């Protein structure tokens, strides 16, 4: 197998990332600076992620809705930390229908403000709680150093917004989303062994009391924040006046959460599993799980390929037939490898004369000569284990690149190639500033055993996972 | 059954429409003028429409992708008719990240320009054709008289964009979408008997050679354009330089189509099927197909209701339990009627003592006393026929309000309460101007038998369906 015409990860990881995105036809830069076109292969991956997330979100009781892109400027200013956090990233519409607008409209960077405006109308009584809303939408943040899938000026995401009667209900729901929607999707669908924990005050969402996060390790040892779930306390309930009459008729402010994941997940998938030959997709996220390639066009080859496609489709797999034999077989094979299709079934006249085809497993690059009647079983076997294999490989890679550090200096050294775990107390009061000088940050705080902190845990005894981040 | 607290359609149709939207919790006005919040019940209907459309679009071979919201102003200007058509409706971003932008960015009113910019890169050879792309997205048009679901400054839609090697391939695809995606969804899913035909030059899409349309009749006899499929010829291919090398190696411009339907379909559904008690949903589009209501809370009532919910869910139906017995039964009953849930199963102690419940069919308002063991069969029967019944009723209403007219004057009179069918030749050369004076327009052109015109048909012999429109 000739190697795909992409640079190796070791040589130049950022360039490798760009070349995989271009070569696998995942995305393109849009004509307006910092924007992105998500091409069908990239969008197909996103659609599969969306379906898995959406199912879990609905299982958690939230309903989908849609709120406007346009937010009056005044709304953004109601929560002080929130506006401070987002002001530098806003895009503003000043003309509409050929006229200058009386009030400029901000394009939503996130929808806390507009959604909470409506929550204040919709919530009256404790019987209206919990109110659990999600939306799938595009959002706009004027990023200065855009990067496809990771930071683009417009991106696609879901954002959940909820209101609860008590602080503990809100906390429980934020954690339910973290664990049963985000962590579950990342482990079971993306095959990515994310670490979960909460952010330090410096890193948390503008307007949150606590931000829970999923942090993945990329192929270069850097961290990617892949999803966050925020406890907002009553920070928005007060300025937006979201109150309910409790069982005894007294008015109280609600307790809230918000949470989101975005097309950034596609970037995480690329950098989490890709190898020097391109993307490697877990079968759950592969727009095509199997591609059946005609090595050459010949009647018996086509007949055998068609029969295999029909057999594999009947088994419920997403299968494509590649019969573009006017393009060289080697070129097509490399292209499907770049795109990360989990299994290739190569049907050629020579193998076929002996009743065989070649089955190539993408994540191991193993090739097997397989009898026609055994193909379905072999393919099913690969699709069954590929996700678990990728998860195990990523877990081993993360563990190999994670060091327990006893001091700030040790943490800084370790974080140059991966993650360091260090007691927060050992970082000292200016620890985060010192880390920042080396472009390192605290990705999340956990208990020493890796579990989530609970109320009452002494912050200084928690372990900070530190690393460089995207 | 007390009547819902909404005005009757006969008394004030526009107010009825607003009251259904508010009462059924379908949508709200957004804080920025002309924008819309789609609430969970409205969004649930849209999600079901989306799924049906998306499946058909994929069956037609198109793949989903996503293109940027932001379009450089210069792009819009490349196709003359297109910019002329959309210029008055554009919204413009002039600030980003706290700075004035060097080039203002237009928010997409539709994506022909940005998508064709990429088609010119992606299409090289006849082997790249047809290129069939769809996107689900929000678009922005600065409407002067906004109306929820019908005309809002931001709306949700899908827009398909395709490129083909020949004019006839493009025409065939535009018609495939019209018939097998749009008309099929409207008849079989929305239960709406839309008329199909093509637009006059005056009414067609800015940049199209021919616009095919689906036109529905609303409850007040007015027309709603519910979906369009355009033959773009080479109008975009030339300015955007989209060429391919044909089989003999010569460069040719591609032939194109574009097509879209939007959240306007929800407005059409409301106005097409609603009655004086609110919305009536075809089961295929009902977020809840059945609601099981506890008339009063009592142990045996709850046990029976839970068992029915389980039984109906096991039969594959979308079922909600309404056990909010601290709200009056009458109020809840009226609310579910307003929301258009196809079947209500009312479980109360008195009926239950005799082993019965009450099954209420929304679209007929028929009430049946049904033995517990027969409920599943009765409900399945209603869900089976409700869509067909609604389609038959809407078809009969449309026919009753459609008149064959022999002259412009007759057409104008008939169109004050419904549709008139008149030979285009009989309208005269200034016919459309004269109709416009009465706020009437040609909704579509058809052959006299209602079928689509073909190449070579004499335009003057076609029948114009004229009416007032939304």
């Amino acid at each position: 197998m000739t190697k795909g015409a992409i640079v190796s990860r070791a040589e130049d990881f950022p360039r490798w990332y760009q070349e995989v995105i271009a070569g696998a036809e995942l995305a393109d830069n849009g004509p307006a600076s910092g924007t992105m076109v998500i091409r069908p292969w990239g969008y197909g991956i996103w659609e599969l992620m969306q379906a898995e997330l959406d199912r879990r979100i609905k299982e958690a009781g939230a309903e989908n809705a849609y709120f406007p892109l346009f937010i009056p400027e005044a709304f953004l200013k109601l929560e002080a930390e929130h506006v401070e956090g987002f002001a530098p990233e806003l895009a503003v519409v000043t003309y509409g229908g050929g006229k200058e607008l009386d009030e400029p409209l901000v394009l939503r960077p996130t929808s806390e403000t507009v959604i909470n405006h409506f929550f204040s109308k919709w919530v009256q009584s404790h019987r209206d709680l919990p109110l659990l809303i999600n939306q799938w939408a595009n959002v706009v943040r004027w990023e200065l150093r855009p990067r496809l899938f990771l930071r683009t000026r417009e991106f696609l995401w879901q954002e959940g917004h909820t209101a609860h009667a008590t602080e503990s209900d809100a906390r429980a729901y934020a954690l339910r989303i973290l664990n049963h929607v985000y962590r579950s999707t990342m482990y079971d669908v993306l095959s990515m062994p994310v670490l979960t924990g909460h952010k330090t005050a410096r890193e948390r969402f503008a307007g949150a009391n606590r931000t829970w996060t999923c942090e993945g390790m990329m192929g270069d040892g850097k961290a990617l924040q892949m999803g966050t779930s925020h406890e907002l306390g009553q920070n928005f309930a007060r300025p937006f006046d979201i109150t309910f009459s409790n069982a005894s008729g007294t008015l109280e402010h609600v307790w809230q959460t918000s949470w989101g994941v975005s097309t950034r997940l596609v970037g995480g998938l690329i950098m989490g599993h890709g190898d020097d030959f391109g993307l490697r997709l877990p079968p759950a996220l592969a727009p095509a799980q199997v591609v059946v390639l005609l090595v050459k066009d010949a009647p018996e080859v086509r007949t055998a390929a068609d029969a295999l496609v029909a057999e594999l489709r009947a088994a419920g797999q997403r299968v494509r037939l590649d019969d573009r034999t006017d393009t060289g077989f080697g070129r097509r094979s490399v292209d499907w490898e770049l795109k990360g299709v989990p299994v290739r079934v190569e049907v050629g006249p020579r193998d076929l004369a002996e009743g065989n085809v070649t089955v190539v497993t993408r994540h191991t690059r193993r090739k097997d000569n397989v009898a026609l009647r055994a193909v379905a079983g072999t393919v099913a076997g690969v699709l069954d284990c590929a996700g678990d294999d990728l998860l195990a490989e990523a877990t081993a890679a993360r563990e190999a690149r994670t060091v327990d550090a006893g001091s700030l200096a040790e943490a800084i050294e370790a974080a140059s190639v991966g993650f360091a775990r260090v007691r927060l107390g050992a970082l000292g009061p200016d620890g985060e500033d010192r880390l920042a000088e080396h472009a390192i940050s605290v990705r999340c705080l956990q208990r020493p055993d890796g579990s989530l902190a609970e109320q009452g845990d002494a912050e200084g005894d928690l372990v900070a996972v530190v690393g460089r981040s995207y």
Side-chain angles (χ1 to χ4, degrees), chain A residues 208-253:
Chain A
N209 288 347
R210 176 158 282 190
T211 288
W212 299 98
T213 183
C214 296
E215 301 282 327
M217 183 186 277
M218 304 294 101
D220 59 354
K222 287 168 84 168
L224 184 72
Q225 178 180 304
M226 293 179 65
T228 48
S229 181
H230 315 294
E231 294 178 40
L232 303 177
Q234 298 178 316
N235 301 339
F236 289 88
R238 281 188 298 263
F240 286 90
D241 198 23
I242 314 175
T243 58
F244 68 100
S245 58
N246 64 21
S248 50
T250 313
L251 280 188
E252 293 185 44
H253 284 108

Side-chain angles (χ1 to χ4, degrees), chain A residues 48 63 151 159 251 338 356 428:
Chain A
L48 291 163
E63 293 185 300
R151 274 189 311 275
E159 49 178 320
L251 280 188
L338 246 172
N356 293 335

Side-chain angles (χ1 to χ4, degrees), chain A residues 114-341:
Chain A
V114 64
I115 291 182
N116 285 323
H117 173 74
F118 285 93
F119 275 24
S120 75
K121 299 182 180 198
W122 298 341
V123 174
Q124 308 292 335
S125 145
H126 62 96
R127 285 189 291 268
D128 301 323
L129 299 177
L131 178 57
L132 312 172
I133 294 289
N134 179 61
Q135 84 171 351
W136 291 96
N138 54 347
V139 284
V140 173
R141 297 181 186 177
W142 223 251
E143 300 285 355
L144 295 180
R145 289 175 307 146
R147 201 156 187 190
L148 291 176
F149 289 116
L150 303 181
R151 274 189 311 275
T152 48
R153 289 186 176 174
E154 177 197 10
F155 58 91
L156 304 181
W157 78 346
Q158 63 67 222
E159 49 178 320
H161 299 269
T162 70
H164 306 262
T166 66
E167 182 171 20
S168 67
D169 283 358
R171 166 160 307 137
Y173 199 78
L175 289 170
R176 178 171 179 177
I177 295 295
L178 181 80
N179 290 317
H180 299 293
V181 179
Y182 294 163
R183 189 177 187 279
S184 146
T185 302
M186 293 179 202
Y187 265 81
D188 302 341
V189 181
L190 278 75
S191 298
M192 295 192 66
V194 292
L195 300 176
T196 50
H198 66 277
K199 293 285 188 186
T200 61
R202 179 193 183 104
E203 300 284 338
R204 74 185 169 213
F205 177 74
N209 288 347
R210 176 158 282 190
T211 288
W212 299 98
T213 183
C214 296
E215 301 282 327
M217 183 186 277
M218 304 294 101
D220 59 354
K222 287 168 84 168
L224 184 72
Q225 178 180 304
M226 293 179 65
T228 48
S229 181
H230 315 294
E231 294 178 40
L232 303 177
Q234 298 178 316
N235 301 339
F236 289 88
R238 281 188 298 263
F240 286 90
D241 198 23
I242 314 175
T243 58
F244 68 100
S245 58
N246 64 21
S248 50
T250 313
L251 280 188
E252 293 185 44
H253 284 108
V254 299
W255 297 84
Q256 298 193 268
T257 79
S258 70
W259 27 279
V261 295
S262 73
T263 36
R264 166 173 267 215
L265 289 178
V266 179
L269 194 75
I270 300 167
M271 293 195 294
H273 294 312
D275 67 12
D276 288 350
F277 302 88
L279 189 56
R280 296 192 300 172
L281 288 172
L285 294 176
Q289 295 170 312
V290 188
V291 59
V292 176
L293 288 97
L294 273 65
V295 176
K296 282 186 188 175
D297 205 353
E300 75 279 13
V301 170
R302 191 168 280 270
T303 304
D306 286 344
L308 285 170
V309 167
E311 185 181 6
L312 296 169
R313 281 194 184 142
Q317 292 156 10
R318 293 187 288 272
V319 184
R320 294 227 187 150
L321 176 70
D322 180 350
D323 60 357
R324 299 168 300 157
T325 47
D326 46 7
T327 301
F329 167 70
R331 160 81 186 279
R332 288 182 288 133
S333 199
V334 167
D335 280 351
W336 289 117
E337 183 157 58
L338 246 172
K339 282 183 187 289
V341 175

Side-chain angles (χ1 to χ4, degrees), chain A residues 101-123:
Chain A
L101 301 180
D102 293 335
E103 184 185 21
L105 295 172
V106 166
L107 300 180
R108 62 180 163 223
T110 178
S111 301
E112 273 75 8
T113 58
V114 64
I115 291 182
N116 285 323
H117 173 74
F118 285 93
F119 275 24
S120 75
K121 299 182 180 198
W122 298 341
V123 174

Side-chain angles (χ1 to χ4, degrees), chain A residues 73-90:
Chain A
E73 257 190 343
F75 275 45
L76 260 294
K77 296 179 178 158
L78 280 169
E79 211 286 331
E81 280 189 24
H82 190 66
V83 67
E84 199 180 310
F86 284 102
E89 299 183 351
L90 300 179

